Amino acid sequence: MNVLTDNFSLYGKGLWGTVQLTLLAGALALAVGVLVAGFRVSPVRALRAFGTGWVTVLRNTPLTLLFFAVLLGLPRFGVVLPFMVFAVLALGAYTSAFICEAVRAGINTVPAGQGEAARSLGMSFTRTLSLVVLPQAARAVISPIGSTLIALAKNSAIAGSFSVTELLGTYKPLNERGYSIVWTFVWIAVGYLIVTLAISAVFNVLEKKMGVSR
């Protein structure tokens, strides 16, 4: 226990950094993922092509390579931001591709007649998607989105290699101080378990509520 008690503030800062990364990147991933999912089912060919390209590139790019591209590439074009912001952009963009596919799968579960009925009433594609299709699709995508956000929380560990304060990065100063590497990683694992269980609990509640409304 002394590894934790002697370095509680250090673990606390790392845990808070992981929580911040997860919340901010998760919000970005959800917003972009839903938008790109709309592009992928859009009647406009250019939007469908953009959505397909976005998902294909990001899902097949290693996350570490994406971090290098964002943190080292963007400053070459004059975009200079805090490393935390760069990490949120990289994690959010990467995760948005998986959110997009989950939402698109949910959209495909909605009977085509629902959209056709809305269009026959004079509703535009955007209004049909946002008011008719997505609310119904949401019931089917809660579980996969929850799993994707849990993966995001664990993927945030990569940010520690790029000077971003997060949970896994706490092992470096603790190792330098001579603490047991085994117990250092045990408490790091406990921190990640707390974050992932919290996400799982939130989405379990959402699933139950959506199940009742169904």
Side-chain angles (χ1 to χ4, degrees):
M1 287 292 293
N2 67 307
V3 177
L4 177 64
T5 55
D6 293 349
N7 303 280
F8 193 78
S9 62
L10 181 62
Y11 273 113
K13 289 179 181 177
L15 180 60
W16 176 237
T18 294
V19 170
Q20 282 184 301
L21 278 172
T22 302
L23 290 176
L24 295 175
L28 177 62
L30 285 169
V32 175
V34 171
L35 179 63
V36 176
F39 287 173
R40 294 213 65 186
V41 298
S42 170
V44 181
R45 180 176 297 181
L47 292 180
R48 291 201 306 271
F50 176 85
T52 301
W54 180 272
V55 171
T56 301
V57 170
L58 291 176
R59 288 186 71 186
N60 293 285
T61 300
L63 182 54
T64 304
L65 180 59
L66 186 59
F67 263 88
F68 276 112
V70 172
L71 274 78
L72 302 181
L74 290 182
R76 292 179 176 270
F77 295 95
V79 181
V80 180
L81 298 169
F83 279 4
M84 180 70 169
V85 177
F86 279 137
V88 168
L89 291 176
L91 280 169
Y94 178 79
T95 308
S96 71
F98 296 90
I99 295 289
C100 169
E101 288 302 275
V103 173
R104 187 170 72 94
I107 291 173
N108 289 335
T109 65
V110 179
Q114 297 284 326
E116 293 171 358
R119 296 302 296 273
S120 68
L121 294 175
M123 296 177 67
S124 65
F125 170 77
T126 302
R127 287 178 61 83
T128 299
L129 186 65
S130 60
L131 299 179
V132 177
V133 177
L134 284 179
Q136 297 181 71
R139 298 171 181 172
V141 303
I142 292 176
S143 181
I145 286 180
S147 298
T148 302
L149 293 181
I150 287 173
L152 165 63
K154 293 183 286 187
N155 287 337
S156 67
I158 296 177
S161 302
F162 296 89
S163 303
V164 177
T165 301
E166 54 77 46
L167 193 55
L168 184 61
T170 58
Y171 87 89
K172 296 177 183 177
L174 292 178
N175 188 42
E176 293 171 357
R177 296 174 191 177
Y179 287 97
S180 168
I181 194 67
V182 174
W183 285 106
T184 296
F185 279 106
V186 165
W187 290 115
I188 288 174
V190 170
Y192 280 109
L193 187 62
I194 292 172
V195 175
T196 55
L197 287 178
I199 296 172
S200 180
V202 169
F203 278 85
N204 282 338
V205 171
L206 288 175
E207 275 192 292
K208 289 179 181 179
K209 286 189 175 182
M210 295 301 287
V212 171
S213 65
R214 195 190 298 244

